[in-house]
Amino acid sequence: MFPPLLATGIEPAHFDIGNIGLLSLVVWLPLVGALALMFFINKEKTDLIRKFTTGWFALCMVPAILLVIKWKPDVQGLQFIENYEWIPMIGAKYQLGVDGMALVLVLLTALLGVLAALCSWEYITTRTKEYYVFLLLLQTGMLGVFAAADLFLFYVFFEVMLVPMYFLIGIWGGERRLYAAIKFFLYTLVGSVLMLLAILKLYFAAPGVAVAHPKEVADSVALLVGNNSGMLALVQDGIDVARNAGGPSGAAGTFNLFALQALGSARGADGLGFIPLNWQLWMFAGFAIGFMIKVPMFPFHTWLPDAHVEAPTAGSVVLAGVLLKIGTYGFLRFNFPMFPDAAKHPVTLSVLGTLAIIGIVYGSLVAMAQKDMKKLVAYSSVGHMGLCMLSMLALNPNGINGSVLQMLNHGISTGALFLLVGVIYERRHTRQISEFGGLANVVPAYATIFFITTLSSIGVPLLNGFIGEFVGLRGVLEAKVSWAFWGATGIILGAAYMLWLYQRVFFGTVTNPRNEGLSDLTAREWAYLLPLVVLMFWIGIYPKPVMKYIDGPTNTIVKQVSPGYFK
């Protein structure tokens, strides 16, 4: 069974409000707001709807901040664990928990929810009530993805969040909104189906490992849970379900996410996992394609520019800030720990590394050729997320730390860029670069914030983009010098297209008379831009508070994939 030293482990952070766990409150509070908005506020009271929803998103940040306040930094792995029976006949449970990596993404999601609601006040003029209902529903889906500790529950959240985003694009988007919404939905649905097949195969394969190799599984559990007694109980519960597959409950396996990690990363004396490599490769591919579409990686990226350009400003902010991160998060949470032999297989690394490099260079070059500001920022995401993928494929602490940090930084910087494009679109109803020029003379505050965000995006020192790129490239350089060269090339190209954009839009004299009377930033616009600017400087100057949350989960992933790395 499990090593006796774990019995003296530390209890992880846990906090209940009434009979409701704090993490459940974080996940479900936006849904409560959606229901309240749907049933208790008249759709004609648009001003009240905007204020209520923005206030509710702000309220939803309170339990998310409590997660940080109650967090125990000396405990490894999951905290705020919740474990309840749900569908015993298939072994699915209502299990929630966050480690440091998930916590950072939960906080980013909570913050961007407030900003998305606030930036929509002037942009959304039709069906206001329905719009904010879908925005709140989307928030619950995204938070659930990061908080789920059960694979079946994760899949439910993963699928559910597609629906509100589909309607946000399809109803409140631009001229080609239906095309963009359907394309987004179909691409993601294809990936979801392939992922489901991989989930089912893993579900039926795991019990055999649990029964046949108890000692090796116990060692894998010890590596995963460390000193966390609460997480040990959660993982042991999942492994017991797997061992008793086909017993009184009738379940054929377990969906316990971290039990599946322990079973997938358990190794024999030969250093190999107990799930055959060929099956690992097939299951890795099933999960990977689903997450590659989400990232998105080349050649699955074509839905992204259409979705970004046609989506309302808030939709673009959430899409860039959170939804794309679910793809990279998925690789770190599922692919690497569950299928470690497949993850470090030379063919896997070669294929994914090549596609990441193509995405970096291709996305940057296409961004440089764009005439639409929003489309330029959309294609920049292809390049930036390609660099996130390349960093994590280094499979070392620096690479994965840099990747997670850059996931957070991209959400801040690119989210701010989409907000800034939305500001000028509300005034001019055009995003064509050729329509602007010399704006720094007319709207100096707007130009200043745009300049800071541009420098953040291209990774200038003392801003958040620099530290993520530096740490990530350090890891890539350790793994493969040629990869580091292409990663650095992407950073150079990123600087080129962003600075060129800024020069054309803001420098020189005002060339278009329609820009002469533009108003500068309003108090509401300052309110949703300033928090992101503060984060850009804070993370760039003092990243330690963020790094301390992600360092532990990163080291665990490296140990699962490459057990001898730290030796």
Side-chain angles (χ1 to χ4, degrees):
M1 291 300 291
F2 295 97
L5 62 93
L6 290 172
T8 60
I10 303 172
E11 189 68 25
H14 186 82
F15 188 75
D16 291 337
I17 298 178
N19 293 321
I20 303 174
L22 183 59
L23 204 50
S24 283
L25 197 64
V26 170
V27 172
W28 298 111
L29 198 55
L31 176 61
V32 174
L35 294 174
L37 183 59
M38 191 183 304
F39 294 111
F40 299 109
I41 299 181
N42 191 301
K43 66 179 181 180
E44 304 298 329
K45 298 180 179 179
T46 55
D47 191 50
L48 176 61
I49 289 169
R50 294 187 187 101
K51 291 178 180 178
F52 170 81
T53 310
T54 305
W56 195 268
F57 269 111
L59 176 65
C60 293
M61 277 205 68
V62 174
I65 293 171
L66 271 176
L67 293 175
V68 178
I69 295 172
K70 297 292 183 180
W71 189 265
K72 293 183 179 180
D74 55 340
V75 179
Q76 178 179 325
L78 294 183
Q79 303 197 42
F80 304 101
I81 296 169
E82 299 180 37
N83 184 12
Y84 302 102
E85 290 292 339
W86 184 26
I87 315 176
M89 65 187 303
I90 62 172
K93 297 191 176 186
Y94 178 79
Q95 295 173 325
L96 301 179
V98 287
D99 60 6
M101 178 174 65
L103 175 67
V104 168
L105 295 172
V106 165
L107 290 171
L108 175 66
T109 305
L111 173 63
L112 291 182
V114 181
L115 307 187
L118 199 54
C119 79
S120 303
W121 281 31
E122 300 295 332
Y123 194 98
I124 302 301
T125 56
T126 59
R127 298 183 179 180
T128 306
K129 178 177 177 177
E130 292 87 344
Y131 171 83
Y132 283 109
V133 166
F134 283 125
L135 205 58
L136 286 162
L137 291 175
L138 178 62
Q139 186 81 341
T140 282
M142 295 185 300
L143 290 167
V145 163
F146 296 128
D150 179 275
L151 190 49
F152 187 84
L153 184 62
F154 165 86
Y155 190 78
V156 170
F157 281 123
F158 188 82
E159 289 291 276
V160 165
M161 71 181 180
L162 300 182
V163 178
M165 180 54 79
Y166 170 81
F167 284 110
L168 287 171
I169 298 172
I171 297 175
W172 293 276
E175 293 181 2
R176 300 174 69 245
R177 56 186 178 273
L178 289 178
Y179 168 78
I182 292 171
K183 190 174 182 180
F184 160 77
F185 194 90
L186 290 178
Y187 264 70
T188 310
L189 189 62
V190 168
S192 300
V193 171
L194 294 174
M195 190 193 304
L196 179 61
L197 294 175
I199 289 171
L200 292 174
K201 176 58 185 175
L202 180 63
Y203 174 75
F204 288 110
V209 178
V211 171
H213 307 283
K215 180 183 180 303
E216 292 83 357
V217 170
D219 292 338
S220 180
V221 171
L223 183 151
L224 178 61
V225 306
N227 63 353
N228 190 329
S229 60
M231 187 176 179
L232 171 63
L234 178 78
V235 175
Q236 186 170 359
D237 177 53
I239 290 174
D240 288 343
V241 171
R243 284 191 178 128
N244 298 322
S249 70
T254 181
F255 287 107
N256 185 306
L257 199 161
F258 292 90
L260 291 172
Q261 279 194 16
L263 294 169
S265 58
R267 298 174 183 275
D270 57 0
L272 298 176
F274 297 113
I275 299 175
L277 178 60
N278 61 331
W279 278 115
Q280 280 199 46
L281 289 168
W282 279 112
M283 288 187 282
F284 185 98
F287 277 93
I289 292 173
F291 295 134
M292 287 167 72
I293 291 171
K294 263 280 188 275
V295 170
M297 291 182 70
F298 181 92
F300 306 109
H301 67 284
T302 58
W303 65 267
L304 181 66
D306 292 311
H308 267 317
V309 170
E310 301 305 325
T313 298
S316 295
V317 171
V318 171
L319 195 59
V322 183
L323 260 68
L324 305 190
K325 310 307 175 294
I326 292 171
T328 45
Y329 172 81
F331 274 96
L332 295 174
R333 182 63 84 217
F334 300 92
N335 285 68
F336 292 174
M338 291 181 179
F339 317 112
D341 296 336
K344 65 179 183 180
H345 194 279
V347 173
T348 303
L349 293 176
S350 178
V351 170
L352 290 178
T354 300
L355 293 178
I357 289 168
I358 292 173
I360 291 169
V361 177
Y362 169 82
S364 301
L365 292 175
V366 175
M368 199 175 293
Q370 295 309 308
K371 300 178 181 179
D372 182 306
M373 280 195 284
K374 200 173 187 184
K375 208 163 190 176
L376 184 150
V377 178
Y379 272 107
S380 77
S381 291
V382 177
H384 285 300
M385 296 307 293
L387 185 59
C388 282
M389 284 301 305
L390 194 66
S391 297
M392 75 169 65
L393 290 170
L395 299 180
N396 56 45
N398 279 326
I400 298 177
N401 274 331
S403 178
V404 177
L405 194 54
Q406 207 49 10
M407 287 158 58
L408 174 64
N409 292 336
H410 178 266
I412 294 168
S413 304
T414 306
L417 284 172
F418 278 118
L419 288 171
L420 288 163
V421 172
V423 167
I424 202 67
Y425 181 77
E426 288 179 10
R427 288 157 169 74
R428 283 293 321 279
H429 299 288
T430 180
R431 296 185 296 262
Q432 293 299 307
I433 298 171
S434 59
E435 286 287 316
F436 302 100
L439 288 189
N441 300 304
V442 182
V443 282
Y446 175 75
T448 302
I449 299 299
F450 205 113
F451 186 63
I452 294 170
T453 307
T454 297
L455 297 181
S456 167
S457 180
I458 65 181
V460 171
L462 298 184
L463 289 166
N464 59 330
F466 171 76
I467 188 66
E469 290 175 354
F470 180 86
V471 174
L473 276 181
R474 172 65 184 84
V476 174
L477 186 64
E478 180 184 330
K480 203 166 186 178
V481 174
S482 60
W483 283 7
F485 168 79
W486 289 112
T489 300
I491 293 172
I492 294 168
L493 291 173
Y497 63 69
M498 286 305 301
L499 291 175
W500 192 31
L501 168 68
Y502 194 84
Q503 181 265 323
R504 287 179 289 172
V505 173
F506 292 96
F507 288 168
T509 58
V510 179
T511 55
N512 190 331
R514 284 174 290 183
N515 296 329
E516 292 176 352
L518 294 179
S519 59
D520 214 337
L521 294 176
T522 65
R524 178 179 59 86
E525 290 162 346
W526 275 111
Y528 63 70
L529 289 170
L530 204 54
L532 297 178
V533 174
V534 170
L535 286 174
M536 290 174 200
F537 282 106
W538 181 21
I539 296 174
I541 295 171
Y542 188 58
K544 183 180 177 180
V546 178
M547 296 294 290
K548 74 177 183 181
Y549 289 108
I550 64 178
D551 192 52
T554 291
N555 289 338
T556 300
I557 293 168
V558 174
K559 290 174 185 176
Q560 289 171 315
V561 179
S562 305
Y565 179 85
F566 291 101
K567 296 178 182 178

